[in-house]
Amino acid sequence: MSTPPRNLRRLATALFTALSLVAVGGVSGCADDADAQAGSGPLRIGYQRFGGLSLVKARNAAPDAQWSLFESGPALTEALKAGAIDIGQVGEAPPIFAAAAKIPFSVVGTSAPIPQGEAVLVKESSGLKTFADLRGRTVALNKGSNVHWLLVRLLAANNMTLKDITVRYLKPAEGRPAFDNGQIDAWIIWDPYFALAEQPGVKVLADATGLASNREYVLASPEVVRDRTDDVRAFLTTYRKVTDWGIANPAERATVLAPELKIPLDVTTRALARSARPLAPVTPAVGTELQAIADGFTTLELVPGPVDIAGRVDDRFSAVFQ
């Protein structure tokens, strides 16, 4: 049966309108990209709860920036892949997985080591005393995040392999109820989720001390580094100043961050005391450290290899972090 002329006209009108909107959106998107490359648009910053960038946002120290919140590093690197952000901050494993996935980015900054900022949590009632006691047990963590490397290092330190445990990959919002309800035996997690889970009856089985640096890394899109070098340098300078202020004023830092993080002041204070560290330049030694992590993941076939992460290190902003 043929389409009546009136309905056909309506269909044609709707199709034309839809195509027009797509065309306008495409032109608008190109204009936005052109503005960003020309330096007239806001820098788009990806941050995580509690990461150093959250303090910059909480203090409104970069009022011209456009902010996006992410639950974890892997989600943030996906935003870099999509071109949704220009700069972001992650732990030590997300850059490896992102590089393996061919996501374009440069490593432009880092922090001092934060080994106490991630840990393996178990219930006191479990009777577990060492990581080796987790043989045959279920361990949860966020895949591709900083704690993924901690798991690799803990297994090696205890002469274990991934076959010795059952791994469940859970995001932080999923890991906490699974841990609380006894659906997993151990949860490997970072601050502030770590601090939030430190309730009566919970104990730290191990942290990253002597095993992993657990640095934070600042990633930036190659385009913004190339086309907006001065803007990136200005933002990183602000980031450095705010970080230094927070370290010099820990009580005020916690008071400012608690509302931003939406967690109690005492929890914020405890987490910051062990996890807030100065920023640092990316050096050849840092590149070597990252490459060792990449090689470790490749050896275990957790990422397709080889991954050249050392080649992603860009030290042009190192003077900002000296």
Side-chain angles (χ1 to χ4, degrees):
M1 183 175 179
S2 61
T3 304
R6 180 179 297 178
N7 288 347
L8 186 59
R9 286 196 299 272
R10 288 176 178 172
L11 180 61
T13 299
L15 180 59
F16 176 78
T17 301
L19 290 173
S20 298
L21 289 173
V22 169
V24 170
V27 171
S28 174
C30 290
D32 289 345
D33 289 343
D35 286 345
Q37 291 178 3
S40 59
L43 283 177
R44 301 165 301 165
I45 311 300
Y47 74 107
Q48 298 182 59
R49 293 181 75 195
F50 192 73
L53 286 175
S54 60
L55 184 59
V56 179
K57 180 179 183 297
R59 295 197 74 200
N60 195 32
D64 295 330
Q66 178 181 311
W67 296 88
S68 297
L69 175 64
F70 297 91
E71 184 184 20
S72 65
L76 190 149
T77 57
E78 282 299 312
L80 271 173
K81 178 181 180 180
I85 60 173
D86 301 312
I87 299 172
Q89 179 189 44
V90 298
E92 57 196 353
I96 312 304
F97 282 80
K102 311 301 182 185
I103 296 175
F105 66 87
S106 298
V107 182
V108 297
T110 187
S111 73
I114 319 169
Q116 297 86 7
E118 58 179 354
V120 183
L121 303 182
V122 297
K123 297 288 184 64
E124 288 275 9
S125 59
S126 67
L128 298 167
K129 293 181 173 58
T130 69
F131 185 84
D133 294 336
L134 288 170
R135 193 181 299 269
R137 305 293 189 103
T138 300
V139 179
L141 67 148
N142 192 86
K143 184 176 183 179
S145 64
N146 55 337
V147 291
H148 206 154
W149 180 238
L150 175 56
L151 172 64
V152 170
R153 298 290 292 135
L154 281 164
L155 289 170
N158 288 276
N159 297 313
M160 297 166 64
T161 71
L162 286 168
K163 295 180 180 180
D164 291 316
I165 58 174
T166 298
V167 178
R168 287 187 61 186
Y169 293 124
L170 301 176
K171 296 177 181 179
E174 302 166 331
R176 177 66 187 275
F179 180 68
D180 289 346
N181 297 328
Q183 297 169 352
I184 55 178
D185 297 299
W187 186 29
I188 313 181
I189 192 60
W190 64 90
D191 276 321
Y193 307 106
F194 170 14
L196 283 164
E198 286 183 289
Q199 303 292 329
V202 173
K203 75 173 184 177
V204 175
L205 195 65
D207 64 22
T209 300
L211 297 171
S213 293
N214 188 36
R215 299 177 188 267
E216 292 183 345
Y217 287 92
V218 183
L219 311 184
S221 77
E223 292 78 15
V224 77
V225 169
R226 180 191 66 217
D227 300 332
R228 302 185 61 180
T229 308
D230 290 343
D231 290 341
V232 173
R233 182 177 289 107
F235 178 80
L236 294 178
T237 299
T238 296
Y239 181 21
R240 165 69 187 274
K241 290 178 179 177
V242 171
T243 300
D244 289 348
W245 172 87
I247 291 171
N249 301 275
E252 293 177 66
R253 176 184 60 193
T255 300
V256 170
L257 265 181
E260 173 70 28
L261 301 176
K262 297 180 174 59
I263 61 177
L265 179 59
D266 63 322
V267 176
T268 303
T269 301
R270 182 170 71 252
L272 286 168
R274 65 180 169 226
S275 290
R277 293 292 182 271
L279 295 175
V282 285
T283 62
V286 169
T288 299
E289 185 177 311
L290 271 174
Q291 191 60 53
I293 298 172
D295 295 344
F297 279 126
T298 302
T299 299
L300 293 172
E301 299 183 345
L302 292 171
V303 297
V307 176
D308 178 18
I309 191 66
R312 304 287 190 111
V313 170
D314 188 330
D315 66 357
R316 75 182 71 188
F317 303 107
S318 288
V320 172
F321 302 119
Q322 297 291 351

